[in-house]
Amino acid sequence: MPFEPINPPEFPTPIAPYSAGAKAGNTVYVSGVLALGEGGVVLHVGDAAAQTRHVLEVIRTTLEAAGARLEDVAMNHIFLKDYADYAAFNAVYAEYFPGAKPARFCIRTELVKPDCLIEIASIAHIG
């Protein structure tokens, strides 16, 4: 089955060769999202809550461009630079997923930019 790349026009140019998302049938895959602005500039340096909010807004926009919503997310892959940010991350995350909670995993790892504190990749199913 072919897939449709999803690249909302308001997004900055990706820092690597990938699409913001891909839609295959009723499934939408959202690439790992970091709190980046134009030119790969890290936004909200040192603020895990603000980076989480930015990342989830980018995911929401990508999903909407594919005809999906946050409520359609079935799985989130979460990467934290430091578990010290886990509580701040979860507080914001809970605002975006107040109803049925998607499955998820969360690991601590280095991220592609040293000032990035969080990265999330999502999978959503429409319908």
Side-chain angles (χ1 to χ4, degrees):
M1 167 187 314
F3 72 91
E4 171 190 353
I6 307 297
N7 291 298
E10 64 271 24
F11 282 8
T13 303
I15 61 171
Y18 64 89
S19 294
K23 183 177 181 182
N26 289 336
T27 304
V28 180
Y29 303 90
V30 179
S31 293
V33 177
L34 299 161
L36 299 177
E38 193 59 54
V41 173
V42 178
L43 305 172
H44 314 292
V45 173
D47 187 338
Q51 284 194 13
T52 301
R53 191 170 307 286
H54 178 88
V55 164
L56 290 169
E57 286 298 327
V58 169
I59 290 170
R60 179 197 314 264
T61 300
T62 303
L63 290 169
E64 288 174 354
R69 304 170 302 144
L70 281 174
E71 292 85 355
D72 297 320
V73 172
M75 179 69 177
N76 282 313
H77 307 245
I78 301 155
F79 306 91
L80 295 178
K81 183 175 180 179
D82 188 334
Y83 281 137
D85 295 323
Y86 190 66
F89 158 77
N90 270 323
V92 175
Y93 183 91
E95 294 173 23
Y96 284 80
F97 297 100
K101 309 291 187 247
R104 74 180 211 186
F105 68 79
C106 182
I107 63 170
R108 184 184 60 80
T109 188
E110 292 297 318
L111 299 174
V112 70
K113 297 263 187 170
D115 287 331
C116 288
L117 304 174
I118 174 126
E119 182 172 357
I120 303 174
S122 300
I123 301 171
H125 294 278
I126 303 169

